[in-house]
Amino acid sequence: METILKIENLTKKYGKLIAVNDVSFNIEKGNVYGILGPNGSGKSTTLGIVLNVVNKTSGDFSWFGGKLSTHEALKKVGAIIEHPNFYPYMTAKQNLELVCKIKGVAKNQVQKSLEIVDLLDRQDDKFKGFSLGMKQRLAIASALLNEPEILILDEPTNGLDPQGIHQIRGIIKRIAANGTTILLASHLLDEVEKVCSHVVVLRKGKSLYVGKVDEMNASFGFVTMQCDNMPLLKEVLSSHKGFGKITEEGEYIVAYLNEEMDASSLNKLLFEKGISLSHLVKRKESLEEQFLELTKNTTSTK
Ligand code: ADP
Ligand code: MG
């Protein structure tokens, strides 16, 4: 496995505000990574630091095993972190040819890049007439001109209509299928779920989860219970290794499972401890619920 980017204990402070707080994760070649978090959680700041446009406060990051200077390494990175700037009265093709000139890339990359983003048939149209989605696709084409090892996108579907969103997601998948590593920041769980293989969940600059998207989903669910001796129920659940977080919700106790357990064996287990339940419902959280749980603004979440 080849490490493209290693981030270790990265921290960024703006005065008292900690925008990025001790974040660590690795990006391995060929995967699609999402940085997922609500607005203001530190996604853009993290991207800005590794792209050398924001100064870190502490911690470290290294590109491609640290063999290259950041300046050299960034030549192998394609990134769109701001609204794309193209010349309105120039065509898509002319704009990209200009980028080639600036980047010192052969012009024949233009056709290839335009094809990937489905803009070949619009190459001779002026940029000013493009829809927002087409502008965004042109920006992606531009970032692909130097055939980067990794493509970085900050909120690539923001402001687009459903069709535009669908197109961009399709293009990202296509680029990934060609073997390009991707890192994208998004506040949309659904986007990360659809596009990414791996995810870093951020809240207030802190990473709450780093791992595979699938495994974030592989929770064992939770059970809602009620009986006439709630303190005993709570005690029994707390001392059982099969349960993680235990909370009280109104008249019910909600216990999150750390392992597979069906409702009847749980019932039996509790009965043997002298507890007969008057209510027992087992449910599995959706990824969305887990995300909301992870990013909830409380002190109970890590
Ligand atoms: P996200 O991209 O997840 O929406 P940002 O990385 O843009 O979040 O911002 C993280 C936090 O840092 C926010 O609270 C934001 O207001 C703050 N922040 C970002 N840039 C600056 C800056 N240049 N000066 C002061 N605070 C900033
Ligand atoms: Mg942002």
Side-chain angles (χ1 to χ4, degrees), residues 81-186:
I81 52 169
E82 283 164 0
H83 270 292
N85 254 334
F86 291 108
Y87 288 96
Y89 291 98
M90 278 166 51
T91 66
K93 184 176 161 202
Q94 288 166 340
N95 267 299
L96 291 193
E97 283 177 353
L98 184 62
V99 176
C100 284
K101 216 169 171 179
I102 295 164
K103 286 190 180 175
V105 175
K107 271 188 186 174
N108 60 11
Q109 287 295 332
V110 169
Q111 298 295 304
K112 231 167 125 178
S113 287
L114 284 170
E115 190 177 355
I116 296 171
V117 301
D118 288 329
L119 280 177
L120 258 190
D121 57 337
R122 303 297 300 266
Q123 62 176 313
D124 295 320
D125 293 347
K126 290 197 170 86
F127 178 74
K128 74 179 172 76
F130 278 14
S131 70
L132 196 58
M134 289 165 70
K135 287 177 177 171
Q136 185 66 337
R137 275 148 59 200
L138 189 65
I140 294 177
S142 170
L144 291 174
L145 287 170
N146 58 336
E147 298 191 290
E149 295 240 5
I150 176 169
L151 179 63
I152 298 183
L153 305 161
D154 195 354
E155 308 267 10
T157 61
N158 257 13
L160 303 186
D161 60 17
Q163 194 199 352
I165 291 174
H166 184 74
Q167 276 172 326
I168 294 281
R169 289 177 184 169
I171 288 163
I172 294 171
K173 285 184 195 166
R174 197 182 307 163
I175 295 166
N178 285 339
T180 305
T181 308
I182 292 177
L183 172 59
L184 75 90
S186 177

Side-chain angles (χ1 to χ4, degrees), residues 14 17 19 37-46 154-155:
Y14 289 110
L17 180 97
N39 287 333
S41 56
K43 304 181 296 294
S44 298
T45 305
T46 304
D154 195 354
E155 308 267 10

Side-chain angles (χ1 to χ4, degrees), residues 183-202:
L183 172 59
L184 75 90
S186 177
H187 67 284
L188 303 170
L189 171 67
D190 154 67
E191 180 152 291
V192 168
E193 206 178 0
K194 286 196 172 112
V195 176
C196 302
S197 57
H198 293 69
V199 65
V200 178
V201 180
L202 288 186

Side-chain angles (χ1 to χ4, degrees), residues 271-296:
F271 190 76
E272 283 164 3
K273 303 271 184 194
I275 298 167
S276 53
L277 295 171
S278 52
H279 174 97
L280 171 63
V281 175
K282 185 179 166 195
R283 277 215 301 146
K284 207 170 161 81
E285 275 179 310
S286 69
L287 188 53
E288 184 165 17
E289 284 169 316
Q290 289 179 62
F291 173 65
L292 291 174
E293 179 65 27
L294 280 175
T295 56
K296 211 160 70 180

